[in-house]
Amino acid sequence: MAEKIRVLVAKPGLDGHDRGAKVVARALRDAGFEVVYTGLRQTPEEIAEAALQEDVNVVALSILSGAHPHLFPKVVELIRGKGMNDVLVIGGGVIPEGDIPALKAAGIAEVFTPGTPTGDVVNFIKEHVKA
């Protein structure tokens, strides 16, 4: 029996809105993934430590506050610094199209913006993670 893909859904920064993160977390769970949700207002350090402790395959970051250019790369840096080089890091939320290339260059594998079907997130993870 194949091991389940483990996903950490995290809300970095001071953003207080998590409905989208919860919708994605539920869709991932319904697709058969093991999902850990960190809750609101997590620091990049807390997210990286949770990813390590939970032994996840994927970190899914969600943000609406506009702090993604700073917070997303910091999370990637900390995750890689802990030796988790095979963890897929994806992001989503209200992110301007013009910011996406810099996020990808910083190590975010894919960015999902509002209106993306949750099935697209599920399929991306299945295509890029071998559990």
Side-chain angles (χ1 to χ4, degrees):
M1 185 167 140
E3 201 174 304
K4 283 190 175 185
I5 295 173
R6 291 181 53 82
V7 182
L8 181 79
V9 176
K11 293 285 299 178
L14 299 176
D15 186 357
H17 185 284
D18 65 349
R19 183 176 10 190
K22 288 178 178 177
V23 167
V24 170
R26 178 168 288 199
L28 297 176
R29 183 204 63 196
D30 291 350
F33 301 149
E34 288 186 22
V35 179
V36 177
Y37 175 54
T38 63
L40 292 168
R41 299 180 185 92
Q42 299 294 298
T43 66
E45 291 79 9
E46 289 168 330
I47 293 167
E49 185 60 26
L52 179 64
Q53 294 301 318
E54 295 290 344
D55 191 27
V56 297
N57 307 102
V58 181
V59 173
L61 302 170
S62 172
I63 200 161
L64 302 175
S65 69
H68 55 275
H70 171 70
L71 294 173
F72 281 15
K74 183 67 174 176
V75 171
V76 172
E77 175 189 327
L78 292 166
I79 287 171
R80 301 297 179 240
K82 290 182 178 290
M84 295 180 281
N85 297 316
D86 58 343
V87 171
L88 182 73
V89 183
I90 60 175
V94 179
I95 298 171
E97 289 291 325
D99 291 353
I100 294 174
L103 294 175
K104 288 185 174 184
I108 302 297
E110 188 59 85
V111 176
F112 300 95
T113 55
T116 300
T118 55
D120 290 0
V121 180
V122 169
N123 291 335
F124 185 85
I125 292 171
K126 285 181 177 179
E127 291 171 10
H128 292 88
V129 174
K130 307 299 179 230

